[in-house]
Every structure is written in C-alpha cells, then in structure tokens.
Amino acid sequence: MRPDDRAMPLSPFALCLCLLLLLAVSVRAQTPAYDHPLFTGPVQRLPAPGYDQEHLRLDLRIDPANREIQARAVLRVRLLDPPLATLELAAQGLEIDSVRLATPAGPMKVAYREAAARLIVPLDSLGEGGQPFEVEISYRARPRHGLRFEETKAGDDQIWTDGLPDTYPHWLPLSPDPSDRLTAQLLVTVPPSMQAPATGRLVRVEETGETKTFQYAVEHPVAPAFLGLVAGAFEGLPERVEGLDRAALPIAYAVPPGRAAEAVRTFEGLAEMVRYLSEKLDVAFPWPHYAHAVVEAYPFEGRAAAGLAILSNRSLLDERAALDEDPDSLLGVLLARQWFGTFVSPASPADRWLTDGLSAYLGALVALRHNSEGQRRLAMQEAADAYLAEAADYRRPLVWSQWRHPADLLDAHGAQKGAWVFHMLHEALGDEAFWTVLNLFLRSHQFSPVTTRDFKFALEAVTEQRFDAFFDQWIFAAGHPVWRVSYDYLEEEKALALTVRQVQDGYLVPTAFAADVPVEVHTLDGVKRFSVKISAREETFSLPLDDDPRFLVIDPDLNLLAEQAVQQPIAAWVAQLRDATEPVSRTQAARALTGFREDPALLIALRNALQSEPMPAVRATLIKTMRQLPRSDALERALLAAYEDESAEVRGAALEALSAFEGSSPVAALAFEAAQTEVSYAAQAAAVLTLARVGAPEALDVARSALITPSHREVVRRAAFAALPFLDVPSAEALTYGLDYSAESQPPEVREAAVRYLGTLATGQRRAHQRLEELMTDPSIPLSLAAAEALGGDSLKEWRSTLEGHLDGEPDPALRARALFLLQEINRRH
C-alpha cells in the first residue's frame, strides 16, 4: 500500500547516481577490481507494476505430510495511471489451479499465463471505473524458499517463513515490488497438534478435530517479506508487559517441548528491553502483540517479521551456554527491527542499509543498556572489526544498486558500517537530538516504505543543519579513512607536530575524508585534548604542548569509523596499555604491541597489564597478543596463570594460546583437567583442541569422548573433529568417524565438522573422497558447500555447475558468500 504522494517517487538509484557524479572530483575513478556479484551484477531498477496492492485475504492450508500448501489468495488491487491491460504478480513455483477476477458482472474465471516467475492476469474483462478490484488465485506449492518445511530430530514437522527480501513469491502471489505494503487477513490451517504463531492480531482459533485454524488480522500495512508464520508443536510461555501508552502488550513464546527452562533464561530481559526502546524512541511497539517462535532447523540466528521474531533453537541457552553468549545481543537486534524494518521498511534494496544499520546499532544499545560507556565502545569496536574484515575483500557505497540477488546486500557494510554511521551521528548530535531525529523519522513514515533521503530530511529538520557532505562520503561513497599517523615533539617551539596521511584507495573511495578528529596527548603533567580538522590527503598540525608526550591516542572515544596506525615507540604503547582511560584505547595498544613481539621486555608489560585490566574483553585481547610472542617458560607460566581468570572468554583465550606449547606436561595436565571440568562449553572445546595440539598422551581418548559429548552449538564435538588431524588415529577408525558423523541423522554442525575432517583424509583414502563427492549433491546446501570446501583444489572444477546453481538459487547471504568464494577459487585455478 502506497500513499498517493509516493505513486511516482524519484528513484533512490537516480539520486545515488547524481551524488556519485558530484563526488567525481574527490573520488578516484578506477575500474572496479572486484569479482563479486555486487560489482559484476546488473544495475537494478525498481519494479513499477503500475498498481497498488491494498489487502490480502489468505486461506492457507499446510500439509506437513506432503510438504505442501494449498491456498486461496484474494488480493485487492488499485490500478495507478495509466490503466493496465494485464496484472503481473510475482509467483515462483506455484501450481495455479484457477484465477478469478471480480468484474461488474460478478466473479469471472479468467485465462492467465505464466512467464519468467510472473503470473500474468488479463484485465480486459474489468471494464471502466478504476476502482479497487479483487483477484482470487487458487494454488498449491511445495516451496523450497520463502516458506520452508523441516523435520525435527524427534520426527516432528516445523514450517516457517525465512524472512529474506525476495522469497515471498515462492508461497504468496503478490506484487513484484517488495516495498508495496498491504494489510491482510490470514487463516492458517494446520494439524491439530500444531500451534501457528503469525503476524497480526489473533482473532480466533477453530478446531474441528482433524485440523486447527488460526485467524489473524493484520490491520496495518506491512511489506510482504515481513508477513511471518511458524507452525509446529510448541510449549507456550505467555507474558505481558506494560507498554509506553500503558496498554498491556502481550509477549508470547513458542519453544520446543522440554526447553521451557532455557527459554525463561534466554528471554528474561526482553520485557525490560521493549520498555527501554519504546521510551527512547517515544513510539509505542507498532504491533498488537510480540511473539517469539524458536524452531529447530532454522538456518539463521533470527529473523524479524511484523510482530513476530523467529529464532533458531541455538538461541536458547542453558546455564553453561549463558557463560559464553549474551542472548540480549540477538534479541535487541530483532526488537529494533520491529520499528526499523516492519514499522518502516526500505523502499528499495538500495535503502536497506537504513533498517539494517539502525537495527544493529539500536540492538547493541538495548543489549548494553546496563553496561558502561567503555563496554559500549568495545561493542562498536567489534562492529568495526566485522566491517573491516569484509572491506578487505570489497568496499561498496551503502546506497548501491548493482547486485545479482537482493540478499547480496545483506552484508557487514549494511549492518555494521550502517551501525557505525548512526553511531557517528549519535555522537555528533548528542543523545536528545539523536532520539528526536528517530522519533520524527518514524512518525513521519509510519507503516510506510522509506528512503535514504527520508532519513536525511528528518535529520536536517531536527538539527536545522545540512548533512550533504556527511552523506556523500559515508553513504554514497565507498570505504573509510585509513590513517597513518606520526608525531614529533619540538622542544624549542613547545609544540607537537602531528602528521596524518590518508592512504585509503579503491573504486568510489574518496581520496580524502573530512572529519573533526579528537586527539588525546598524555604527558607526565596530565592529559591534553585537541581537535584537528582533517580534510586533505596529508596534513601536519601543530599542537601546543609543554612536555614531551608519553603516548598519543587518536579518536580516544571511538567516534569515527577509521583504520589507524600510529607510529610511536614500544614505551608509548606500553604506557597507553597501562594508563589509557578508555578500554578501546587499551585494546588498540594491545593489538599494536604485536609489532614488537621480539622485544624481550614486552612479556613483563603484558603480564602486568593482564593482572590489572578490569575488562574481560581487553584481557582476552592481551592474551591473543601474548600468543604472538616467542615461546618461553615465562610466557607459559603467565598463560597457565591466566586460566584462573573468572571470565570464560579469558580462560578460553588462555587455553588457545597454550596450544603452542607442544610437549609441555603442565599444559597437558591443565588442558586435560579443563576438558573434564570446565563449565564453559567454549573453554571446554578449547581444552580438547589444545590437548591434541600439544601432543598429550590422553588427547585421543579425550577426543573420542568429546565426539559423544553434546554441547551448545555442538562446539565440543566440533573441537573433537578439529583435534583428530593432530592425532595418530587408526585409518579405519578415522574413516568411520567421518562417514558416521556426516550421516543425515547427525546435527548439522556435527555433519559439517565431519565433512571437513573427511577432507583431511581424502588424499589418502578413496572412500573419503567418494563420500565428499556424494555430499556435493546433498539436499542440505550448507553441507554441499562444506563438501566442496573440503574437496578443494582441482577437484572442484567438475562441480562448477553445482556451485553456480547454489549462487543463482540460494537466497541465504552467508551460503551465497561461501559459494562465491569457491567459484572464485575455481576461476583462479582455471
């Protein structure tokens, strides 16, 4: 459903193109050197179907036994000018039984045709009038995407929507424009043993003995991808929370049988999170209820539909798993997406960074609502690390119109770099103005599609400032600043000469980013803060300073997304590690000190810092730096002592670092004890692998035991398979492990680990190679890709068509990325 004033919007792609042309003087024009669908795919255009879909009445019958749906969809449509001769609906793999058109003479069965994933309905029988009309489509389908059927380990069926941006046509014949929102009435019929949480207000449930029908009313328009549905056998945990307007918001939980206790632990903070974000945004939760459905074979961590969050059973944490993971991190993102995703949704795939970035950023703020500012900055450092890892492979503007599949845009650029854009704005505007901008943005476009310019308009309206330059370099251009910083103290001038060189390069990357950068200089007399305006490729600034600096920190509050390399001596980095106020500054020092790993005094400094550091995340980083040092008895003792830390993250890091001490009896003894007594699953898994790497006599027996030890995310069994290549496993036994644990009856994580282990056996055992080839055609695409990764080398060439099929037909962005990497490897070799 589109407001009338959006009937003919200016394409955001056209807007992006204009801005990029304006940037030409400051952006290096180079041929893109990326073999990636985001650069080799076609320039996409928004579909213009010529009509507005207003309302859907869907009578959906789910047949789990045959993995089939039978449906009758009645779609109310309003034609836009000029009138259309045909109505085109997106429909992929639907077996159409009939199409009826509501005409002035009554419902009329009409001829239709199908072409290029479209259902084409002639409108010549409609006559004049231009009023809304209805088209009724009866169909059946066995969808592989959009709405998926899976079987649980107990043999029960679960059905769920995947929430991906372009998969709804596999089960719903609707407009090809994914931003065209509509209201709906859903009647979902399932076997009587099933529950069916879905988008909308639950009107009633009718049982006939043989079936159960759930009726939902979706009273506000929603984008098709956010029409969500889950069906299966669940336990319920109802809850109510006071909403912003003092009306009670029902929050319901549908979880697998027998896992209620884990669900209570996982969701215990959610009600408070809803209150927190509602109050911050000053906009009530947008849907009449908030349901959470946990499904067993869900391939994603979680997806948001309107009023519904669908989560993997991996999200449920037992007491040990809660030591390794914070459930609020995922729940916060899914909650934020109820406003930024379902309440307002992107008008085009190119605008998706808005909702992905806001959901990631606000989700982090919600999850860390009780944490210190330092911990929140560490979380932003993690987001930067995720984006920078991807940026090492490719860099694209956030608003980007070139791709092969819309899922290609579900990357760390949109989520993590997008989160950083909003973090930078938050820091620049201040708390009150930032939340006021979000409030205006939401209230101005509620239940509507939004563009990047819509957000820019709200930003400028609240602040009464222009943000053209900010959007040009951070959103419409690619990349980020890469700074090389050096400094000299000028005794006679009593000044610090600070030189900043920008060395970023690449397609559509600005030659120079402009930014006001805080600089913190620590001397024996205290701390002085400066602000320098960086705008050129290379600049030198003179900062008044009475004393020689002990160390210097660029952007100490982590307000800017940038890579920085500060040239200063080891003594300065050690001083920063010891005395910097912000945890992120101490983390940066710990990372920088890896460049001085040969210095014999470094271990003492790192060990002292480890003993005094209050933040577990920084202590874990210190241990990773210590792992880079030359092996010594002193280092071994320091790492053994680090295992006594109260933090599971630090203990796991210590065990991983100790794996370098091959043949060490103290390490073997510690790892053996940890493998049996460690309360953290992740640290226990690290112990299993460390035992193997140091060559402990007990390692094989421990690995055998670990293979039958269940754990959260199967981390212990996965560690066992990672350990086996380091051990002297009899060849028949090794092959048996690979074959048995790659069987369909095993959990997906275990199967993939077994497949990777088979890859280590494939060169010497023909049966292992044969098994990998068999698994290339496994119905599980993740397993097929794991088999391809295990085969590797020249063996992949003959499987090019299989991998191309995965890339063309698979909408899951993570699986697409794996298929792409393998195809690139084939191209490099051949």
Side-chain angles (χ1 to χ4, degrees):
M1 181 177 293
R2 302 185 187 85
D4 291 341
D5 63 352
R6 288 178 180 268
M8 299 279 292
L10 175 64
S11 165
F13 300 127
L15 177 65
C16 175
L17 179 60
C18 294
L19 288 166
L20 288 174
L21 289 173
L22 291 173
L23 279 169
V25 295
S26 63
V27 175
R28 295 187 172 217
Q30 299 177 6
T31 301
Y34 302 112
D35 179 17
H36 192 282
L38 286 168
F39 300 91
T40 61
V43 175
Q44 303 287 338
R45 304 297 178 193
L46 278 174
Y51 62 86
D52 177 15
Q53 58 188 9
E54 295 183 339
H55 183 76
L56 169 69
R57 293 200 311 275
L58 179 69
D59 186 347
L60 179 72
R61 293 180 173 270
I62 296 176
D63 180 2
N66 295 306
R67 300 201 163 199
E68 183 180 69
I69 59 172
Q70 300 96 38
R72 183 174 67 91
V74 180
L75 184 63
R76 188 171 71 233
V77 172
R78 179 171 59 88
L79 298 183
L80 305 175
D81 292 330
L84 297 174
T86 59
L87 181 75
E88 290 194 14
L89 300 170
Q92 293 182 255
L94 305 186
E95 184 180 332
I96 307 298
D97 294 328
S98 66
V99 177
R100 297 179 182 272
L101 200 61
T103 71
M108 178 181 295
K109 191 172 183 178
V110 296
Y112 62 88
R113 58 190 176 90
E114 298 176 72
R118 293 287 190 269
L119 173 63
I120 302 171
V121 181
L123 300 180
D124 52 321
S125 59
L126 194 61
E128 300 295 331
Q131 296 299 314
F133 65 92
E134 292 185 342
V135 56
E136 176 187 307
I137 305 152
S138 296
Y139 62 97
R140 63 188 65 239
R142 293 184 175 179
R144 289 183 57 249
H145 303 299
L147 183 72
R148 304 199 200 184
F149 290 76
E150 294 289 347
E151 186 176 311
T152 70
K153 286 185 289 187
D156 299 323
D157 292 295
Q158 289 184 336
I159 301 94
W160 35 261
T161 49
D162 61 26
L164 291 169
D166 204 35
T167 59
Y168 65 86
H170 290 269
W171 71 289
L172 291 173
L174 294 175
S175 169
D177 179 358
S179 70
D180 192 359
R181 301 169 68 106
L182 74 168
T183 57
Q185 177 184 334
L186 307 177
L187 284 88
V188 182
T189 300
V190 296
S193 61
M194 287 188 170
Q195 300 296 318
T199 289
R201 176 176 56 84
L202 180 60
V203 178
R204 65 176 179 269
V205 180
E206 294 183 354
E207 295 191 54
T208 65
E210 296 183 357
T211 61
K212 186 188 295 184
T213 299
F214 296 79
Q215 180 179 341
Y216 292 93
V218 185
E219 294 160 334
H220 296 292
V222 61
F226 291 114
L227 282 171
L229 163 68
V230 176
F234 299 108
E235 286 187 38
L237 300 170
E239 182 184 342
R240 299 176 75 84
V241 58
E242 290 296 318
L244 184 66
D245 56 0
R246 309 307 298 170
L249 172 71
I251 301 181
Y253 307 99
V255 301
R259 304 197 66 180
E262 294 164 82
V264 169
R265 179 182 296 105
T266 301
F267 295 113
E268 64 180 347
L270 183 62
E272 182 192 351
M273 295 166 69
V274 174
R275 290 192 194 97
Y276 175 88
L277 193 52
S278 298
E279 291 171 1
K280 281 290 190 180
L281 293 169
D282 197 19
V283 176
F285 189 85
W287 305 101
H289 74 176
Y290 192 21
H292 292 73
V294 179
V295 296
E296 184 172 300
Y298 205 54
F300 317 109
E301 289 300 302
R303 292 282 181 189
L308 172 66
I310 307 174
L311 301 96
S312 161
N313 65 348
R314 298 183 298 274
S315 65
L316 297 181
L317 306 181
D318 63 23
E319 191 172 359
R320 295 180 64 187
L323 299 173
D324 300 323
E325 296 184 23
D326 178 9
D328 287 0
S329 298
L330 172 61
L331 296 178
V333 172
L334 296 176
L335 174 62
R337 199 170 285 280
Q338 294 299 321
W339 283 271
F340 299 98
T342 70
F343 187 52
V344 297
S345 54
S348 73
D351 295 302
R352 188 173 178 116
W353 78 273
L354 270 174
T355 52
D356 287 356
L358 272 167
S359 296
Y361 182 57
L362 298 183
L365 292 185
V366 172
L368 299 171
R369 62 198 179 280
H370 297 310
N371 293 52
S372 67
E373 190 64 36
Q375 289 168 311
R376 287 191 285 271
R377 287 175 180 142
L378 285 172
M380 292 311 301
Q381 182 63 65
E382 289 183 13
D385 290 344
Y387 158 69
L388 292 172
E390 185 175 88
D393 294 329
Y394 68 87
R395 293 169 296 282
R396 68 168 177 90
L398 291 182
V399 175
W400 187 244
S401 61
Q402 195 170 355
W403 33 268
R404 286 176 60 180
H405 191 283
D408 293 334
L409 296 174
L410 302 180
D411 59 3
H413 281 67
Q416 278 73 37
K417 184 182 179 182
W420 258 94
V421 166
F422 294 110
H423 172 66
M424 291 187 289
L425 287 171
H426 193 175
E427 293 298 320
L429 301 179
D431 200 57
E432 182 178 357
F434 176 74
W435 292 105
T436 302
V437 169
L438 296 186
N439 175 272
L440 177 62
F441 181 53
L442 288 171
R443 292 187 182 276
S444 300
H445 304 286
Q446 53 187 319
F447 302 111
S448 298
V450 291
T451 66
T452 299
R453 62 176 176 170
D454 291 331
F455 178 77
K456 183 171 179 284
F457 181 85
L459 178 63
E460 294 179 339
V462 169
T463 61
E464 299 182 348
Q465 300 176 36
R466 300 287 297 184
F467 280 82
D468 299 41
F470 181 89
F471 276 62
D472 285 351
Q473 71 177 10
W474 289 110
I475 296 166
F476 297 116
H480 55 276
V482 181
W483 297 327
R484 298 290 180 264
V485 180
S486 59
Y487 61 89
D488 289 302
Y489 183 63
L490 308 178
E491 179 68 39
E492 293 185 2
E493 291 85 348
K494 294 296 180 183
L496 187 75
L498 175 70
T499 299
V500 180
R501 291 188 301 120
Q502 299 197 49
V503 299
Q504 68 274 358
D505 202 359
Y507 180 62
L508 298 178
V509 176
T511 303
F513 282 79
D516 291 340
V517 182
V519 179
E520 191 175 83
V521 183
H522 290 246
T523 69
L524 291 175
D525 282 342
V527 181
K528 292 198 70 173
R529 288 181 70 106
F530 304 91
S531 180
V532 297
K533 291 184 177 294
I534 297 176
S535 60
R537 190 74 171 170
E538 182 170 344
E539 295 171 276
T540 297
F541 305 90
S542 180
L543 309 179
L545 196 66
D546 292 333
D547 298 303
D548 200 6
R550 296 174 60 235
F551 63 92
L552 176 147
V553 183
I554 300 291
D555 188 24
D557 299 327
L558 207 68
N559 293 339
L560 292 165
L561 176 60
E563 286 182 87
Q564 53 173 284
V566 180
Q567 182 180 336
Q568 56 184 359
I570 185 173
W573 286 117
V574 169
Q576 179 172 327
L577 181 63
R578 183 178 60 245
D579 298 331
T581 305
E582 287 297 328
V584 290
S585 298
R586 300 195 296 273
T587 298
Q588 290 165 357
R591 292 177 174 182
L593 284 167
T594 59
F596 302 89
R597 63 177 64 90
E598 300 299 331
D599 191 300
L602 180 56
L603 174 59
I604 297 174
L606 293 173
R607 186 183 59 198
N608 292 339
L610 185 62
Q611 293 170 349
S612 61
E613 174 57 52
M615 291 281 191
V618 182
R619 296 201 297 274
T621 301
L622 283 165
I623 290 174
K624 292 173 185 175
T625 300
M626 294 169 73
R627 187 177 182 178
Q628 307 298 316
L629 303 184
R631 177 176 165 175
S632 67
D633 292 342
L635 175 61
E636 181 181 358
R637 289 193 298 271
L639 292 173
L640 288 168
Y643 180 71
E644 301 303 319
D645 199 282
E646 63 182 12
S647 164
E649 178 186 8
V650 177
R651 294 198 303 274
L655 284 164
E656 290 176 7
L658 285 166
S659 68
F661 289 84
E662 184 177 354
S664 167
S665 296
V667 172
L670 176 68
F672 180 67
E673 181 181 1
Q676 299 176 83
T677 63
E678 174 60 62
V679 293
S680 157
Y681 288 128
Q684 182 184 16
V688 171
L689 182 54
T690 293
L691 265 178
R693 293 180 68 102
V694 301
E698 310 90 345
L700 182 54
D701 286 339
V702 169
R704 287 169 174 153
S705 177
L707 284 173
I708 57 173
T709 302
S711 59
H712 185 62
R713 300 184 186 275
E714 298 291 354
V715 292
V716 174
R717 287 204 267 187
R718 287 157 52 195
F721 274 112
L724 289 178
F726 295 97
L727 303 173
D728 186 14
V729 186
S731 58
E733 179 183 353
L735 181 60
T736 298
Y737 289 148
L739 297 179
D740 289 354
Y741 284 96
S742 64
E744 188 177 358
S745 59
Q746 295 291 337
E749 301 94 336
V750 175
R751 294 187 76 193
E752 288 197 41
V755 165
R756 294 189 180 93
Y757 181 53
L758 282 169
T760 68
L761 307 176
T763 54
Q765 298 203 41
R766 173 97 184 124
R767 181 66 187 103
H769 193 278
Q770 288 174 340
R771 178 61 173 155
L772 291 174
E773 291 184 326
E774 293 166 6
L775 292 170
M776 281 295 303
T777 57
D778 192 273
S780 166
I781 292 180
L783 199 72
S784 172
L785 291 171
E789 291 160 351
L791 280 170
D794 294 332
S795 301
L796 278 180
K797 183 179 179 182
E798 61 184 283
W799 297 102
R800 180 193 292 270
S801 61
T802 299
L803 294 170
E804 288 175 341
H806 293 338
L807 188 61
D808 290 338
E810 175 54 51
D812 182 341
L815 298 181
R816 289 177 56 78
R818 289 170 65 183
L820 174 65
F821 179 84
L822 291 165
L823 284 167
Q824 289 173 329
E825 181 64 22
I826 293 172
N827 291 339
R828 281 191 289 269
R829 286 176 173 269
H830 305 284

